[in-house]
Amino acid sequence: MSMAPVLKTRILLSACSGLLLVWSVHTFAAPRPNHLLPQYQQSYPAAPEIPHASVSSLRASSTSAFAGSTTFPAHVPSERSGKEALARGAVKSGRAKESLRTLGVSAPLAATAATAATAATAATAATAATAATAATAATAATAATAATPETYAPTRPPGGIDPATAVPSLWQNATIGQIGAMADGSVQQSDKNQPNGVAGLDAAGRFTAPVAGDVTAATAGSALSGALKRPLSARFAEQPSAGDFGITLDGTSDDSTALQAAKAAVPAGSMVRIPAGVLHLAAPLQSKTPTLWQINGTTLADGAPITSLGTDVIESTLEGGKYFARGESRADMAPVLRKDLDVTHTGGTTGFVMNLEKGNCTIPAEGAALNDYVWCHSTVLNSSAFGGGQHVAQASLAQRPADALADGKGSRSQIWAGYDEARDETGQASSVAGSMVGREVDVYANGDDPVGWRIGLQLQIAGTSADGTPGKVGKGIAIGNNDATSTYGTLIDAAGRFDTAGIDLSRSTPVNNAPVLNIGANRNLAFSDDHKPHFQFDSAAYTLRYWYDTANLLAIGMQGDVTTSISNAGSGVAWTLNGQAQLGLNLTGLNAPEALRLAAGQTLSWEPTAVVHSGFANGKLTEQVAAGVARTLDTSGNETLPGSLQNSQTIVSLTQPTAPAYVAKGTAAIGLDTTGLTTPEALRVADGQAISWEHTASVQTRYASGQLQDSQNGTPLRTLDASGNETVTGSTRNSGMTTSLNNSAASAITLTGSAGIGVNLTGLSTSNALRLGDGQSVAWEPTAVMTTGYTATGLTDAKGSTPLRQLDSNGNETLAGTITPNAGVHLPTLSRASIKAQPNPPPGVMVFDAEDDAPAIYTSAGWMLVGLSALP
C-alpha cells in the first residue's frame, strides 16, 4: 500500500491542529467567542446537511487510510503537542490570528485526492503572498470587524496561510457553526491541570499532576475481569474513616466529637478506620449501637496502645500482633470474636482433619532462648463477680443432636469435646529427650475449703435429659495403651497433701454389687514405696494373702479359714486387741470342737504382764503365777494344788442360751450356798422362767402372769399372787423355802466334794473371766489364812497378814522364805551375747552361760562366772 495518502492526511490534520492552536494562543486571557451565537448563524447560513451515507463512506476511507500506518496511535494523542508547536512558531514570527473560515469551506465533501492536492498547492501559494499584501488584508479585516460587530470576519495570518497547512476533508463542507462547535469542545492549553479543567496526561495516558477539585462523582473500576465502574463516593463509603469526620489525632485536640459523629453516621456493627496518630478523648463514647474500630498505629498521649473504646470492639495491633478487645460490656452482648464453620460437604480424603481454627507454633533447636516460655494458645479470665453465675476460661462442647440418627444410616462418628496430644518422636528416654506433659491442670488458692468447692478436675456424667431413658457411660476415666510394648511407670500418681481422703468413693452408689475397687486376680495392692507389704488375691487357691516382701504372713481362704505366719520371734505378738469392747474374743458362734488350740509348751496368759498364765507341757496342764506353780492337772484328771481347797468367792453373771449357766455334779453338803452373799436377792429369774428342784425338772417354781407358782409335771400345786394370797392344790403345808437371805458370814457359792471342774468359765464370752477388786484376795483354804490378792505392791501370796511372796508389775518376785524345789533350781540358759545384752540387771541376778557351761552372776563389777568342780 502506498504511504502517500497517509502522509497527506497526516499533514492536513497537523496543519489544522496548528491553526487551531494559533487562534487559541491569540485569544489567551480573553473569553472564547461562542460560535453558536445567533449573529454568527444569521451571517453565515449553514451548509447543506451531509448525507449519512457520505459520512459513513468518508469515515471508512479515513479509517482505511490510517490503518496502514504503524505510528498512527502515537500521533493521534499528540495533536495537542502539534498545536502547541505551531502556536509557538506563529508567535515568534509575529503572524496574527487567522480565521478558520478560509480553511477550504467551499471544497466539495467528496473531493478526490487530486482535488485535495490542488487545494494544498493553492494554500501554499496563498501562504507565499507578500507580507505587505497580508498586512493590508489584515487591516481591512480589522476595520470591517470593528464597523460591523454582528458580522464574523475571518482573520488570516500575516503573509497568508502556510502552504503546508491544509484543511482535512472532514471539515471541507462544514458550516462555520459546526467548526465553531468543534472549537468550543477542544481542549485548551490553559485548561491543563486547572480547576474545572482537565488533567494532564503523559505519553502513556497517565496523570502527570494531581487532580484538583471534588472527584467523588467520578467513576472508577477494578482491573479484574468483568468488574463494573462505580462512583468513587460509593467506594469511599464502603470503608468509612474517622478522618472523614474531622478527627485530628494530634494528641491535644478532642477527638471524641469526630468519633461520635462517625458512630452516628454508619449502621450498627460497621467498621470505621482510625488513621495513625495520637488519640485524645475528652469524653467517653456514648452509643448503644456497636461499632468496630480498626486502629492502625494509633496510640494514646503517653505512647500506650489503645485497648478500650467503651463497649465497642477494637481491632488493632498490640506488641506487633493482631489484637481484638472490648474494654467495657453490657448485658447480653455478642462475643468479641466469633468463628463459624458449617461442614456441608460429603466425601473427601479419609482421615483428613478439617479445622475451624488452626495455629502452628514452631520452636526450633536454635532461635529461642533456652529459658523462654512459649504458649501457643493462652486464655486468661479475670473474674471478681459475685452470685451464682459460671465464668469459664475456656469451654469446648461436642454435641450429637437429637435428630442425628433420623437419616437411618446407623451409628455416628466419634465426637470429642477436647483432644490433647503431646508427642516425643525422638525414640529416646525422657532423661535424654526431656520432659513432656500431655496436659497440666493447676489450681492455686489460699485458705481452707470446708465445703469442697475447689476442684482440680471435675468430670460430670449425666443424662442429656432428665425425662429420657436411663443412660450409661462405659468408663468414667479410661487410661490405656495404644500398643503392646509401652508401659506406665505409675498409672496414677497422687503426690499431694490431703486431709479428708486420698480416694473418696463414699458418695458413689454401687449397682448390682459392683466392687468399689477392683485390682484383678494375682495383682498386688502395696502399702509403701518399697512395695514390700502388700495384699494379693491368689486365684489358684482362691485365697486373699497379705505379704511382707516374699513372706506370706496372713491368708484368708474361701471357706473363711485364717492362716498366719509370724516371722518376728521374740518381739512380736501374733494377735493383739487394744481398746474397749464388750467382748474381747467371741467364739460362741464357732461350730468347732476346739475353740482354741495351743501347742505343747505354749501358755495362755491371764493379765497383760503374762505373769499369771496357764499352759500344757510335759503331759500336764499347769497354771502359774510367774515361776510359781499354782495348780497342775495331768492327763488322768488328777489335780494337784500347792495349798488346800478354799471358797472361791466367785460371782457369776452370764448369758449362755444353749448350756446351763452352772453345772454341779457329785456329792456335796450344799449344792449352792448363798449364805455369805450380802445382797437382798440371792437368785433372780425372769418372768416365765422356772427353778427345777430335781434332775428331771418335774418339780418347778416359776413366776408368771403375776403369780408365783409351784408345779409338778406341769400341774400347778401352789400359787401366790401379788396380794399375798396363796392357793394350794391339796392340803396346806410349809414351802420349806427361804426367800430372803442376809448372811454376811457365808460364802456366795460353796463347792464340796469331787468334781472335774470346780467352776467352769470356758463358755464365758468376756475378756475378764474373773475379776477381783483392788485389795481383795482369793483364799486357798477354808480358814482363809492362805490368800492371793492384788494390791498396789503387786500380786501377793500371804499367810494371814504376812506376805510370803510378791510379784510386781515388772515381773520381780520377792519371797519371805527360801526356794526349796524338789528337783533343784534350774537357771535360765542364755548365750553370752544375750547375757551381756540384759538391760540394767540388778546385782545378784544369776543365769547359766551356755557357752562356758557355768553359772554367771551379776555384781557391781559386772557379770562374773561362778567356778565349778565335778562331784566326787
Side-chain angles (χ1 to χ4, degrees):
M1 178 179 176
S2 175
M3 294 294 295
V6 176
L7 293 176
K8 291 178 180 180
T9 304
R10 290 170 57 189
I11 291 172
L12 289 173
L13 291 172
S14 300
C16 182
S17 300
L19 290 175
L20 288 172
L21 285 175
V22 170
W23 176 82
S24 174
V25 171
H26 182 77
T27 59
F28 183 78
R32 287 181 293 171
N34 187 350
H35 299 284
L36 299 182
L37 290 176
Q39 58 267 33
Y40 299 133
Q41 299 298 324
Q42 294 173 2
S43 300
Y44 302 95
E49 189 71 24
I50 302 175
H52 180 73
S54 300
V55 175
S56 301
S57 61
L58 177 61
R59 290 176 178 173
S61 63
S62 300
T63 304
S64 63
F66 284 108
S69 175
T70 58
T71 60
F72 173 70
H75 283 272
V76 172
S78 302
E79 182 179 357
R80 186 183 302 114
S81 300
K83 294 178 182 179
E84 294 172 357
L86 184 57
R88 287 194 299 269
V91 172
K92 289 180 181 180
S93 62
R95 289 179 292 178
K97 180 176 63 175
E98 184 68 17
S99 174
L100 296 178
R101 183 175 176 82
T102 61
L103 297 180
V105 295
S106 61
L109 182 61
T112 61
T115 304
T118 303
T121 304
T124 303
T127 305
T130 61
T133 304
T136 302
T139 302
T142 302
T145 302
T148 58
E150 296 296 330
T151 303
Y152 178 77
T155 302
R156 299 181 185 276
I161 298 177
D162 194 312
T165 301
V167 178
S169 58
L170 178 64
W171 290 357
Q172 290 179 359
N173 289 336
T175 64
I176 189 60
Q178 292 171 337
I179 294 176
M182 287 185 284
D184 286 338
S186 62
V187 177
Q188 305 300 315
Q189 179 70 18
S190 60
D191 296 335
K192 182 179 180 181
N193 297 326
Q194 296 300 317
N196 297 321
V198 296
L201 303 177
D202 60 10
R206 297 172 300 192
F207 287 121
T208 59
V211 178
D214 185 8
V215 296
T216 57
T219 60
S222 171
L224 299 176
S225 176
L228 301 178
K229 292 185 177 180
R230 295 184 297 144
L232 294 179
S233 58
R235 297 184 66 89
F236 291 154
E238 290 177 355
Q239 191 167 12
S241 172
D244 299 337
F245 300 90
I247 193 169
T248 59
L249 297 175
D250 57 7
T252 57
S253 302
D254 182 17
D255 296 322
S256 59
T257 302
L259 294 187
Q260 200 71 52
K263 284 180 63 67
V266 299
S270 298
M271 177 184 292
V272 180
R273 294 174 58 88
I274 298 180
V278 180
L279 183 68
H280 172 64
L281 297 179
L285 300 183
Q286 301 292 333
S287 177
K288 294 184 179 180
T289 59
T291 301
L292 174 61
W293 301 97
Q294 191 177 56
I295 302 174
N296 295 290
T298 309
T299 65
L300 298 175
D302 58 356
I306 300 174
T307 58
S308 174
L309 281 179
T311 59
D312 288 341
V313 174
I314 64 173
E315 175 188 349
S316 180
T317 56
L318 182 63
E319 300 175 349
K322 201 67 174 178
Y323 180 75
F324 291 87
R326 175 187 286 130
E328 301 174 9
S329 66
R330 293 193 308 272
D332 304 326
M333 296 193 74
V336 174
L337 180 63
R338 170 174 168 166
K339 302 177 182 179
D340 291 332
L341 171 63
D342 292 336
V343 180
T344 59
H345 69 274
T346 58
T349 304
T350 302
F352 178 77
V353 178
M354 179 173 292
N355 300 279
L356 170 60
E357 180 179 0
K358 182 176 182 179
N360 291 319
C361 179
T362 302
I363 306 174
E366 297 180 359
L370 294 179
N371 295 327
D372 277 356
Y373 287 82
V374 180
W375 295 20
C376 289
H377 181 78
S378 176
T379 301
V380 178
L381 168 67
N382 290 291
S383 176
S384 300
F386 67 91
Q390 292 183 347
H391 304 164
V392 181
Q394 187 169 350
S396 299
L397 171 65
Q399 179 173 333
R400 182 177 289 119
D403 59 350
L405 301 176
D407 54 11
K409 293 183 178 180
S411 61
R412 308 289 96 172
S413 301
Q414 297 181 14
I415 56 175
W416 297 5
Y419 172 75
D420 295 300
E421 178 177 337
R423 302 175 66 93
D424 185 345
E425 298 181 349
T426 62
Q428 300 296 321
S430 61
S431 58
V432 176
S435 63
M436 182 172 64
V437 179
R439 172 167 284 248
E440 178 177 346
V441 179
D442 295 333
V443 176
Y444 296 96
N446 291 340
D448 198 9
D449 184 20
V451 292
W453 285 351
R454 295 172 184 162
I455 303 174
L457 181 62
Q458 170 107 4
L459 179 63
Q460 190 73 29
I461 297 176
T464 58
S465 173
D467 300 332
T469 58
K472 182 177 181 179
V473 173
K475 299 177 179 64
I477 298 176
I479 302 176
N481 300 86
N482 288 331
D483 57 75
T485 58
S486 300
T487 59
Y488 294 91
T490 301
L491 204 61
I492 297 177
D493 184 1
R497 301 171 62 244
F498 58 89
D499 59 9
T500 302
I503 298 176
D504 187 356
L505 299 175
S506 61
R507 290 177 292 178
S508 301
T509 303
V511 180
N512 298 329
N513 200 28
V516 174
L517 179 63
N518 188 356
I519 63 174
N522 303 316
R523 296 175 181 173
N524 298 340
L525 180 61
F527 298 96
S528 68
D529 292 340
D530 59 7
H531 304 164
K532 288 185 177 181
H534 60 273
F535 271 117
Q536 181 194 69
F537 180 75
D538 185 352
S539 61
Y542 226 75
T543 299
L544 179 64
R545 302 184 185 277
Y546 172 74
W547 298 77
Y548 184 83
D549 203 1
T550 58
N552 184 199
L553 304 182
L554 176 67
I556 303 176
M558 60 182 299
Q559 302 298 334
D561 48 301
V562 179
T563 303
T564 61
S565 176
I566 308 300
S567 58
N568 52 353
S571 61
V573 179
W575 191 277
T576 301
L577 295 177
N578 293 321
Q580 297 179 356
Q582 184 177 7
L583 298 176
L585 182 62
N586 190 352
L587 302 176
T588 58
L590 183 62
N591 186 13
E594 295 179 87
L596 182 64
R597 173 177 289 187
L598 301 176
Q602 294 179 341
T603 60
L604 180 63
S605 299
W606 297 107
E607 37 76 54
T609 60
V611 173
V612 181
H613 57 269
S614 299
F616 183 81
N618 302 322
K620 291 183 179 181
L621 180 64
T622 305
E623 295 180 346
Q624 292 180 321
V625 177
V629 178
R631 182 175 60 181
T632 60
L633 183 66
D634 61 19
T635 55
S636 300
N638 301 312
E639 183 179 14
T640 303
L641 297 176
S644 60
L645 293 177
Q646 301 182 42
N647 293 333
S648 63
Q649 300 290 332
T650 301
I651 299 176
V652 179
S653 176
L654 78 166
T655 300
Q656 191 173 359
T658 59
Y662 192 89
V663 178
K665 295 181 179 181
T667 302
I670 302 175
L672 182 61
D673 189 356
T674 60
T675 58
L677 186 62
T678 57
T679 178
E681 294 180 76
L683 180 65
R684 173 179 288 186
V685 295
D687 189 8
Q689 292 181 341
I691 298 176
S692 298
W693 300 107
E694 36 81 52
H695 64 283
T696 63
S698 297
V699 181
Q700 296 181 347
T701 298
R702 75 178 65 240
Y703 182 82
S705 302
Q707 292 182 337
L708 181 65
Q709 182 185 89
D710 293 334
S711 63
Q712 185 174 8
N713 296 324
T715 301
L717 302 179
R718 181 176 56 184
T719 59
L720 184 67
D721 62 15
S723 299
N725 300 313
E726 183 179 29
T727 301
V728 179
T729 301
S731 59
T732 302
R733 61 189 71 181
N734 294 330
S735 64
M737 298 177 59
T738 303
T739 58
S740 174
L741 176 63
N742 186 3
N743 190 350
S744 60
S747 302
I749 297 176
T750 301
L751 300 179
T752 304
S754 299
I757 301 176
V759 178
N760 188 350
L761 301 177
T762 58
L764 185 62
S765 301
T766 179
S767 58
N768 291 316
L770 180 64
R771 173 175 288 180
L772 302 177
D774 192 7
Q776 293 181 341
S777 62
V778 176
W780 298 110
E781 35 77 49
T783 61
V785 173
M786 301 298 297
T787 60
T788 298
Y790 186 81
T791 62
T793 58
L795 186 64
T796 303
D797 292 331
K799 181 178 182 181
S801 59
T802 303
L804 301 179
R805 180 175 60 181
Q806 290 180 323
L807 188 66
D808 63 19
S809 58
N810 293 322
N812 299 312
E813 185 178 13
T814 302
L815 295 177
T818 59
I819 298 176
T820 56
N822 294 334
V825 177
H826 180 213
L827 298 176
T829 302
L830 301 175
S831 64
R832 182 176 299 172
S834 299
I835 296 174
K836 292 182 177 181
Q838 293 295 320
N840 301 321
V845 172
M846 181 177 291
V847 297
F848 189 81
D849 188 345
E851 297 179 14
D852 292 296
D853 197 22
I857 187 171
Y858 187 78
T859 67
S860 60
W863 288 98
M864 299 294 181
L865 284 174
V866 177
L868 301 176
S869 59
L871 289 173

